[in-house]
Amino acid sequence: MMGDRTKIQEALFYEFRLEDHVPAGHLLRSIDRFVDLDGLREHLRPFYSGTGRPSIDPELIIRMLIVGYVMGIRSERRLCEEVHLNLAYRWFCGLGLNGPVPDHSTFSKNRHGRFRESDLLRQMFEMTVRQCIAKGLVGGEGFAVDASTIKADANRQRSVPSPDKLPIEAAHRAVREYFSVLDDAAFGSATPVQPKYISPVDPAARWNAASGGLAYYAYCTNYLIDLKSAVIMDVETTTAIRQAEVTAQRRMIERTQETFGIWPERLAADTAYGSAENLAWLVHERGIEPHIPVFDKSARQDGTFERRDFTYDHVHDLYVCPGGQQLKQQWRKINSDQPNAPPDNLLRYRSSKLACDVCTLKPKCCPNQPNRKVLRSIHEGARDMARDIALTDAYIISRRERKKVEMLFAHLKRILKIDRLRLRGPNGARDEFHLAAAAQNLRKMAKLIPPGAPALST
């Protein structure tokens, strides 16, 4: 027989314990073990006034931001609604059943103010890295680096042709930040080429068409990860251009060494990081093996001899062509002093015109030139080392493990839903990328370290 309609019977007293209603396997319960905010108040104390009404607890704001980025809640208005309704969110934020949820405007005021001035979000990200190191998830031997473009909050159909057209007289925050990073190697000075279009609402965002579809304004998030468990060791925000990615790689390696004292033995990356200057920096200045394809444009399409067909003689500093003739930098002594390095870092080796005129291989060597010229980088030693590493089994393993950083970018865009930024300007992008990287590290620890498990061996 059908039961009666359920009726809500109000009780005079309720016995309710929030701890009992959060499942043991809930993601936030697992993450809460690794959130260490003990030093948060002391870090922010200089940025609060000693008088006036008490502010909203900064730990509550940070915990709500962690909930938003871990659970993929992009809107702060919606985040406040979800924390108000969801018992697990309330438990993680320490609100209880009756605790009031802050207004959404509180996030903007704190982020643009004391959080950004104190570099708090960077400190929180480094907290997750230290937790990963303490739990034995970081090997410290092999690193990988890569960058991914994230769409900026700017309309591609509303653009200005040059910075001169920006409304400087009423400049908002993103415009002021754009002018402040014009000399930064990761933004304005990354390349002398001026962008084709500039967004008036976020001029630091770069006009980008890397995906092959319609162009859009974007920033780049750069990850430096440890290959043992794909822990994000560092994150850097740059403009969406290859030269800036190389700058970010150097900054992240230096910062990781200074902050955590970790010196990797090898670095895996794609061809964008295979320039001669970058390979030389890794080999000679940092002592890191570059498991990176060499960026080389010496290949020819007309069937003539390529540079690799010429043999270099280290002892006499010359090349030997397939016909046995020598290519030298100088064929006679010059009294004037020559610079140690050419302006473009390329040494030029030329053959003798008399030898080339009688050579039977001239049609396959230099059919349209009187003699043959070969260019050699002053960093060719580091390039040769990278080529030798590319022939080893360790290089094959590194190339396979490098895909872990690509998986992190896929997770960032599909699970955390950060395929488009909400905040504008370089500082806004930096805040979002720091929070997202911290959320990914927290989720990594929650996945790999079950409750009650001892720390992994370091």
Side-chain angles (χ1 to χ4, degrees):
M1 122 182 131
M2 182 180 296
D4 296 335
R5 183 184 297 275
T6 302
K7 296 182 179 179
I8 299 177
Q9 297 180 356
E10 297 291 343
L12 184 59
F13 299 101
Y14 287 94
E15 183 179 351
F16 189 92
R17 187 167 177 263
L18 189 58
E19 178 76 22
D20 299 334
H21 290 267
V22 180
H26 196 279
L27 177 61
L28 289 180
R29 186 180 286 276
S30 299
I31 285 177
D32 186 62
R33 299 174 291 151
F34 309 109
V35 178
D36 182 11
L37 302 177
D38 292 339
L40 176 67
R41 294 180 177 276
E42 291 301 321
H43 182 76
L44 289 176
R45 191 174 301 278
F47 300 90
Y48 281 90
S49 173
T51 59
R53 293 185 302 170
S55 68
I56 296 175
D57 185 3
E59 182 175 347
L60 169 60
I61 300 176
I62 291 297
R63 283 185 171 270
M64 289 183 65
L65 286 174
I66 292 175
V67 170
Y69 279 81
V70 166
M71 307 306 294
I73 303 174
R74 302 291 291 125
S75 170
E76 289 169 357
R77 290 177 180 269
R78 183 176 163 232
L79 174 62
C80 293
E81 296 174 357
E82 293 291 335
V83 171
H84 178 73
L85 297 173
N86 193 298
L87 294 180
Y89 296 173
R90 279 185 165 272
W91 172 86
F92 182 81
C93 296
L95 285 173
L97 283 177
N98 299 322
V101 179
D103 187 76
H104 64 88
S105 62
T106 305
F107 294 97
S108 299
K109 293 179 181 178
N110 282 276
R111 185 192 303 110
H112 296 313
R114 54 181 64 96
F115 284 5
R116 189 165 293 171
E117 295 171 1
S118 64
D119 203 17
L120 177 65
L121 300 182
R122 174 74 197 182
Q123 299 295 326
M124 191 184 71
F125 164 72
E126 291 181 355
M127 176 271 294
T128 65
V129 179
R130 290 189 177 93
Q131 289 278 10
C132 291
I133 295 174
K135 299 300 181 181
L137 299 181
V138 176
E141 297 179 357
F143 280 6
V145 65
D146 205 354
S148 182
T149 57
I150 306 294
K151 291 182 179 179
D153 185 24
N155 191 340
R156 62 181 300 273
Q157 295 180 346
R158 296 185 178 181
S159 306
V160 294
S162 67
D164 299 335
K165 302 297 182 180
L166 293 175
I168 302 178
E169 65 279 358
H172 49 79
R173 182 182 296 108
V175 175
R176 294 195 300 268
E177 292 180 8
Y178 164 72
F179 286 108
S180 68
V181 298
L182 284 178
D183 296 329
D184 191 342
F187 285 94
S189 64
T191 174
V193 179
Q194 293 296 323
K196 189 175 181 180
Y197 300 105
I198 294 178
S199 171
V201 297
D202 193 354
R206 190 83 179 188
W207 185 253
N208 185 273
S211 61
L214 294 175
Y216 54 89
Y217 291 107
Y219 286 93
C220 262
T221 176
N222 298 263
Y223 277 3
L224 180 70
I225 72 165
D226 182 84
L227 291 176
K228 179 181 179 180
S229 301
V231 172
I232 303 173
M233 300 299 298
D234 207 338
V235 58
E236 182 77 5
T237 304
T238 64
T239 186
I241 191 170
R242 182 178 63 84
Q243 294 88 332
E245 297 174 13
V246 176
T247 300
Q249 167 234 285
R250 298 187 182 185
R251 290 181 178 178
M252 291 188 293
I253 291 177
E254 292 174 346
R255 197 158 47 208
T256 301
Q257 293 173 346
E258 295 172 359
T259 306
F260 307 111
I262 298 179
W263 298 67
E265 297 178 1
R266 66 184 188 277
L267 178 70
D270 57 23
T271 314
Y273 302 86
S275 63
E277 294 79 6
N278 189 50
L279 294 175
W281 182 85
L282 290 171
V283 173
H284 300 308
E285 296 190 27
R286 294 294 166 175
I288 300 175
E289 294 183 359
H291 290 225
I292 304 173
V294 178
F295 187 76
D296 193 353
K297 290 187 176 182
S298 63
R300 294 195 169 193
Q301 307 296 328
D302 56 359
T304 58
F305 293 137
E306 301 178 358
R307 189 170 63 86
R308 63 182 179 181
D309 296 322
F310 293 76
T311 305
Y312 182 68
D313 186 345
H314 289 270
V315 177
H316 301 94
D317 188 24
L318 55 83
Y319 276 95
V320 179
C321 74
Q325 301 297 328
Q326 296 181 352
L327 288 80
K328 301 180 181 180
Q329 292 191 63
Q330 298 175 6
W331 283 92
R332 60 186 179 88
K333 291 185 178 181
I334 301 177
N335 295 328
S336 61
D337 295 334
Q338 296 295 318
N340 295 328
D344 56 358
N345 292 334
L346 292 175
L347 303 175
R348 289 157 175 80
Y349 295 79
R350 294 178 175 83
S351 61
S352 170
K353 179 179 181 302
L354 297 177
C356 288
D357 288 340
V358 298
C359 181
T360 58
L361 297 178
K362 190 177 189 308
K364 281 191 62 68
C365 184
C366 51
N368 301 321
Q369 300 293 331
N371 58 343
R372 181 60 188 262
K373 178 176 67 175
V374 173
L375 301 180
R376 178 181 176 85
S377 172
I378 62 173
H379 307 300
E380 198 65 29
R383 286 158 58 93
D384 290 338
M385 180 179 179
R387 294 188 184 100
D388 293 339
I389 293 175
L391 303 177
T392 63
D393 294 337
Y395 177 82
I396 299 176
I397 297 174
S398 295
R399 297 299 294 169
R400 183 169 63 248
E401 290 181 335
R402 193 189 66 82
K403 296 179 181 178
K404 293 180 180 179
V405 68
E406 300 286 354
M407 296 171 64
L408 284 172
F409 289 139
H411 181 270
L412 176 73
K413 296 179 180 180
R414 296 189 178 186
I415 305 301
L416 302 189
K417 301 178 182 178
I418 303 183
D419 54 351
R420 182 186 177 95
L421 296 174
R422 292 185 60 254
L423 306 180
R424 292 172 177 171
N427 288 332
R430 188 178 295 113
D431 290 347
E432 291 216 55
F433 294 155
H434 278 142
L435 282 168
Q440 288 182 292
N441 279 345
L442 290 172
R443 291 177 65 114
K444 178 72 65 177
M445 288 187 283
K447 176 182 178 181
L448 297 181
I449 305 177
L456 304 177
S457 60
T458 58

